[in-house]
Amino acid sequence: MDLGLSGVLEYPAALASVDCAFDWGDQPSQRLTLLGTRGTLDMNGVYNSNTQSPVSFTVTTAAGVREEEFPPFNAYAAMVDHFQRAALGEEAALYPPEDSVRHARVLDALFAAALTGERVEV
């Protein structure tokens, strides 16, 4: 069973390290952390549809720490609502279908690299 993956994505002007894991323990946590050369963004509850808990984020830079909290929100319901409106031509899609194809190619490459231990070009 796949529970986690680590990988490195190489872009022309940057490297990105990806580390994700899925574990359904007693205290599940959903967290997103982005570490950059000028700061860090840390978010809790970013992937859940729990409408009972707020989502908060913390940005840390040389200028200091900033924290914000957003009220409970069902992002999955909002995503389905947006898809319906876009499919009916009532609004433009936030992301073009080509983005999904590019994302799928990167995920396929990460999976292939994990299986072979070799670098995979996209």
Side-chain angles (χ1 to χ4, degrees):
M1 176 193 290
D2 295 334
L3 291 177
L5 173 76
S6 295
V8 176
L9 304 174
E10 184 178 348
Y11 297 95
L15 288 176
S17 174
V18 177
D19 186 18
C20 59
F22 303 91
D23 187 0
W24 303 106
D26 292 338
Q27 297 291 325
S29 173
Q30 294 187 14
R31 172 161 238 92
L32 169 69
T33 303
L34 300 173
L35 305 170
T37 55
R38 298 188 309 195
T40 302
L41 168 71
D42 190 43
M43 296 181 75
N44 76 333
V46 69
Y47 298 110
N48 68 33
S49 58
N50 180 356
T51 58
Q52 313 309 311
S53 302
V55 172
S56 62
F57 75 78
T58 304
V59 176
T60 305
T61 66
V65 176
R66 183 183 68 161
E67 295 183 10
E68 286 195 40
E69 187 171 282
F70 298 93
F73 178 74
N74 188 331
Y76 293 111
M79 181 176 56
V80 170
D81 288 343
H82 169 68
F83 176 80
Q84 282 181 306
R85 290 189 304 275
L88 292 170
E90 296 172 358
E91 65 184 55
L94 291 174
Y95 306 100
E98 298 80 26
D99 279 1
S100 297
V101 172
R102 286 191 289 267
H103 291 155
R105 286 185 181 137
V106 170
L107 292 173
D108 286 347
L110 284 168
F111 185 67
L115 286 175
T116 65
E118 301 291 326
R119 178 186 177 125
V120 176
E121 295 284 334
V122 178

